[in-house]
Amino acid sequence: MTGDLHHLLPSEPVMLIDAHGRPADAAGYSLPADADLLRAFDALVTARRFNDQAYALVRQGRLAVYPSSHGQEACQVAAAQVLADGDWLFPTYRDTVAAMGRGVDPVEALTLLKGDWHCGYDPNEHRVAPHATPLATQLPHAVGVAHAARLRGEPTVAMAMCGDGGTSEGDFHEALNFAAVFRAPVVFFVQNNEYAISVPLARQSAAPSLAHKGIGYGMPGRRVDGNDMAALLAVLGDAVARARAGEGPQLVEAHTYRMQAHTNADDATRYRQDSDVAAWVERDPITRLEAHLRERGLLSDARREEFAARAERVAEHVRDGLNRDVEPDHRQLFAHVYATPTPQLAEQAALVADELDREGAQR
């Protein structure tokens, strides 16, 4: 049980720009610098275009699956933008845009979702762990990296991302408990988009909020408007700074909404109404930040077109990369499992090779 007043939660999520783009007061937080907001808006425009392009590539059969972050892009962009070069990002399967924010090539970031056996990029080069498809398994990994960095005296912070569904997993409990006891410099960033596939939040947790769970582990919990880029940069930036300063792990819950289906394999009309989605469209993070920037004279039509053109070049790069056929090599499935293959692994590799040879002979 915490006795630290700093751990107690305000009644409402932090908001610095309202749904109409107007500034809003939030105790303890200030609007980020203009340059940071413009940089974030540029990334938001690219993120939306990337999401739409990836979704189209699924329908064309070039991607096996794509969990879109359409509507949640502000969370993705902010999570990457507040980190320093030496920090680590631990993304879920829906956090491709966040990985791009750390410099991962978007084509490489989609490799796993295309159906390949590897994540497509060098995690050490970008300090981005492979996308985790199993729920919350990346959270203990993030804690381990952060704890090791602390023992070495390094200033590294780990940003551990998960959805609201991930907070129902055992790995979530184990990661937060260890991090709190050993004061690991981790920011647990929960994107609460209201649904774990088709399961609404009310069927997952009876807690007042997901941020309240942090109090139970002895770490600060903060709630933030997940469609307000300014608030996200302020709250996540503060959490990263506190973790880096030795104040231990931080938990941030962003209230946002998945505007599209869970994946292309999901029919969202079976568990939610169109009117539910429409209410969140009015809080779209892009139109909201754009209204704010234009009102303050920070965004011109020419600059907006420049951002759109950059986003279109990214989309073109993704199309070219994903439309390029590659010849899969079945031997790679077995090549990197062990330095010295076990007899069982060698037997499995031989079995696959034999089946493919016989299949080829029949054509």
Side-chain angles (χ1 to χ4, degrees), residues 38 290 293-294 297-306:
L38 274 172
E290 180 169 358
L293 294 173
R294 286 187 181 277
L298 298 173
L299 181 66
S300 64
D301 289 342
R303 197 72 187 277
R304 183 64 168 86
E305 291 174 5
E306 175 188 330

Side-chain angles (χ1 to χ4, degrees), residues 59 74 106 114 199 309 344:
R59 293 195 294 272
K114 187 178 182 181
V199 180
Q344 295 83 0

Side-chain angles (χ1 to χ4, degrees), residues 30-109:
S30 304
L31 275 175
D34 295 346
D36 291 335
L37 291 177
L38 274 172
R39 176 187 168 196
F41 183 73
D42 185 7
L44 271 180
V45 172
T46 295
R48 178 63 55 84
R49 183 67 187 90
F50 170 82
N51 269 325
D52 293 345
Q53 182 61 72
Y55 213 71
L57 287 167
V58 170
R59 293 195 294 272
Q60 295 165 12
R62 308 306 299 186
L63 271 175
V65 65
Y66 183 66
S68 176
S69 61
H70 186 117
Q72 298 179 221
E73 292 97 338
C75 294
Q76 307 275 305
V77 170
Q81 190 164 319
V82 299
L83 294 178
D85 289 344
D87 294 336
W88 273 85
L89 179 78
F90 288 79
T92 73
Y93 51 82
R94 200 180 300 284
D95 300 325
T96 305
V97 168
M100 289 165 52
R102 295 284 290 169
V104 176
D105 185 296
V107 175
E108 295 179 353

Side-chain angles (χ1 to χ4, degrees), residues 118-180:
H118 57 84
C119 74
Y121 54 88
D122 180 355
N124 286 311
E125 177 185 355
H126 301 286
R127 295 204 163 216
V128 177
H131 294 75
T133 299
L135 293 185
T137 56
Q138 76 280 11
L139 303 184
H141 303 165
V143 173
V145 167
H147 182 54
R150 180 169 177 266
L151 293 177
R152 293 173 180 149
E154 298 170 352
T156 304
V157 172
M159 178 72 73
M161 304 177 75
C162 74
D164 44 292
T167 65
S168 299
E169 298 291 326
D171 281 346
F172 179 83
H173 160 71
E174 293 158 10
L176 268 70
N177 194 57
F178 188 100

